[in-house]
């Protein structure tokens, strides 16, 4: 009978088996890996990644990783290659072919065709004496002792090893290209990730209102300004300089402390030296300031010029968090 304990034990055994297979890859890193990485880095062409079966799925993931980290790549399905898709390969392209056995019928047909084009061929295989290995210019060894699968058949450890070897290539190429967060953002402009890397304060306040009062403005008019602009805050401006801020929280605290406020002005209740950010500040950095100081608004100022108010809700609406 399968119990909860059995299931958890099997899961732990699987994870441990795959982690051990990955660790052994370290011993397989050699001159082949170095030379293959150098050739990919130096080529003016693209990286074509091909495979069959589960290896084809790993190839697609590798292509996605390479493309997003600055190495132009394309996926070529091994079985489709011999039916016309070989036409995508150009003279300066480098080809990675992935196969656990390196001896599948599709690979035996494909490798000679790839070599006929004269492109550099990098084999990622778990059999370094295979047809693929012998036909490759460089061999990246992903041999595993056995699969995590209980009948040692379903690709588990072997595909994980392939995936990790591909990641190792991608990360090395990133380092060689001095790939920076702003480069990554170019390839990931959409979604929360893209916004974290690209969105700036100025993108969120372009059409926002700019609540402002002078130091001598009556509290009644301050309340009107905060209510009208609906940002829960107003800047206090004197001689075109920001000297303070008044939030709806300040108004509530004043009302709790006083029975009348007719004689009060903005300077009496404002907070001096408010937190400021420039319009070029990254939105995610502005969010960190809001969280660090437990506030919900920031005054935006460029070289002392009042640009507007950034509200926490503006950031939340963008889906950054």
């Amino acid at each position: 009978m399968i119990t909860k304990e059995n299931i958890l034990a099997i899961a732990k055994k699987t994870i441990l088996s795959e982690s051990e297979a990955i660790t052994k890859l370290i011993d397989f890193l050699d001159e082949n890996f170095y030379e293959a990485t150098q050739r990919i880095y130096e080529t003016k062409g693209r990286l074509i990644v091909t495979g069959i079966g589960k290896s084809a799925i790993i190839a697609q993931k590798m292509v996605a990783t390479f493309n997003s980290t600055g190495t132009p790549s394309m996926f070529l399905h091994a079985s489709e290659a011999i039916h016309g898709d070989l036409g995508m390969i150009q003279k300066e392209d480098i080809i990675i072919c992935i196969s656990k056995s390196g001896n599948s019928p599709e690979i035996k047909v494909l490798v000679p065709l790839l070599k006929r084009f004269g492109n550099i061929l990098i084999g990622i295989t778990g059999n370094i004496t295979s047809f693929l290995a012998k036909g490759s210019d460089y061999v990246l060894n992903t041999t595993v002792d056995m699969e995590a699968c209980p009948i040692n058949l379903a690709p588990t450890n072997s595909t994980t090893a392939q995936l990790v070897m591909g990641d190792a290539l991608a990360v090395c190429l990133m380092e060689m290209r001095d790939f920076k967060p702003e480069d990554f953002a170019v390839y990931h402009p959409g979604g929360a990730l893209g916004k974290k890397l690209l969105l700036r304060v100025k993108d969120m306040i372009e059409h926002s209102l700019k609540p402002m009062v002078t130091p001598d403005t009556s509290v009644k008019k301050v309340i009107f300004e905060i209510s009208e602009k609906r940002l829960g805050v107003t800047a206090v401006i004197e001689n075109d300089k920001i000297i303070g801020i008044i939030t709806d929280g300040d108004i509530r605290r004043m009302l709790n402390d006083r029975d009348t406020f007719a004689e009060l002005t903005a300077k009496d209740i404002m907070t001096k030296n408010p937190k400021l950010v420039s319009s070029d500040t990254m939105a995610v950095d502005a969010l960190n300031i809001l969280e660090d100081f437990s506030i919900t608004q920031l005054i935006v100022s460029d070289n002392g010029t009042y640009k507007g108010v950034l509200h926490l809700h503006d950031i939340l609406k963008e889906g950054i968090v």
Side-chain angles (χ1 to χ4, degrees):
M1 181 179 178
I2 297 296
T3 64
K4 179 179 76 172
E5 288 73 20
N6 294 145
I7 291 173
L8 294 178
I10 293 168
K12 291 175 183 177
K13 182 180 178 182
T14 301
I15 294 171
L16 181 61
S17 179
E18 297 209 4
S19 66
E20 290 173 348
I22 293 171
T23 301
K24 289 181 180 179
L25 291 180
I26 295 173
D27 298 329
F28 300 149
L29 297 176
D30 57 12
E31 191 73 13
N32 277 267
F33 185 91
Y34 167 74
E35 291 290 344
T37 307
Q38 282 291 129
R39 295 298 175 268
I40 297 171
Y41 175 69
E42 293 168 357
T43 187
K44 293 181 174 61
R46 303 159 303 171
L47 187 58
I48 308 296
V49 190
T50 185
I52 192 77
K54 303 298 188 296
S55 295
I57 297 172
I58 298 300
Q60 292 179 70
K61 190 276 176 185
M62 283 189 192
V63 166
T65 299
F66 285 129
N67 278 328
S68 68
T69 54
T71 300
S73 305
M74 292 184 67
F75 169 68
L76 172 65
H77 198 285
S79 64
E80 297 297 328
I82 59 177
H83 294 287
D85 282 1
L86 281 174
M88 74 168 60
I89 300 176
Q90 299 176 7
K91 183 179 180 180
E92 293 185 320
D93 292 344
I94 291 179
I95 303 165
I96 292 178
C97 185
I98 310 171
S99 172
K100 177 188 176 183
S101 70
N103 289 320
S104 64
E106 295 87 356
I107 297 299
K108 287 187 174 181
V109 172
L110 181 60
V111 169
L113 296 174
L114 295 175
K115 295 302 293 180
R116 186 183 304 170
F117 284 99
N119 299 78
I120 292 174
L121 177 61
I122 301 168
I124 296 182
T125 181
N127 182 357
I128 58 174
T129 62
S130 64
F131 188 87
L132 172 59
K134 291 177 181 177
S136 298
D137 296 290
Y138 306 102
V139 179
L140 306 187
N141 188 353
T142 53
T143 299
V144 297
D145 296 332
M146 61 182 298
E147 301 288 2
C149 161
I151 56 176
N152 196 31
L153 291 176
T156 44
N157 288 357
S158 58
T159 46
T160 300
Q162 293 168 355
L163 184 64
V164 170
M165 188 64 75
D167 285 344
L169 275 173
V171 172
C172 286
L173 290 164
M174 288 178 70
E175 293 277 1
M176 294 166 76
R177 291 192 170 93
D178 193 24
F179 200 80
K180 293 182 169 57
E182 51 267 31
D183 300 315
F184 193 80
V186 170
Y187 302 110
H188 296 77
L193 178 58
K195 288 180 178 178
K196 281 184 179 180
L197 295 170
L198 291 173
L199 194 67
R200 297 183 183 273
V201 169
K202 62 185 175 185
D203 300 319
M204 293 181 288
I205 66 163
E206 185 177 1
H207 303 294
S208 68
L209 300 173
K210 293 169 59 178
M212 65 177 79
V213 295
T214 67
D216 295 326
T217 301
S218 69
V219 169
K220 182 178 180 179
K221 289 184 178 179
V222 168
I223 295 173
F224 284 155
E225 181 71 1
I226 292 175
S227 300
E228 183 181 359
K229 301 299 172 57
R230 298 183 179 181
L231 290 172
V233 66
T234 183
V236 182
I237 309 294
E238 185 177 37
N239 298 326
D240 296 325
K241 292 184 179 180
I242 303 165
I243 65 168
I245 186 175
I246 301 173
T247 68
D248 51 10
D250 293 325
I251 299 295
R252 287 193 298 271
R253 284 186 288 274
M254 177 205 66
L255 294 174
N256 285 333
D257 295 339
R258 291 174 172 268
D259 294 326
T260 178
F261 56 86
E263 77 285 2
L264 296 180
T265 61
K267 65 176 179 290
D268 297 318
I269 62 172
M270 71 179 186
T271 299
K272 297 179 181 178
N273 303 316
K275 297 292 180 292
L276 305 176
V277 292
S278 72
S279 60
D280 277 332
T281 302
M282 300 301 297
V284 68
D285 293 331
L287 174 62
N288 290 334
I289 295 173
L290 291 171
E291 291 178 339
D292 289 344
F293 291 95
S294 299
I295 55 180
T296 57
Q297 303 102 341
L298 282 170
I299 297 295
V300 183
S301 172
D302 289 342
N303 298 318
T305 301
Y306 178 41
K307 292 293 184 178
V309 175
L310 176 68
H311 198 287
L312 175 62
H313 292 162
D314 298 324
I315 299 178
L316 296 179
K317 282 191 293 187
E318 293 292 343
I320 290 179
V321 291

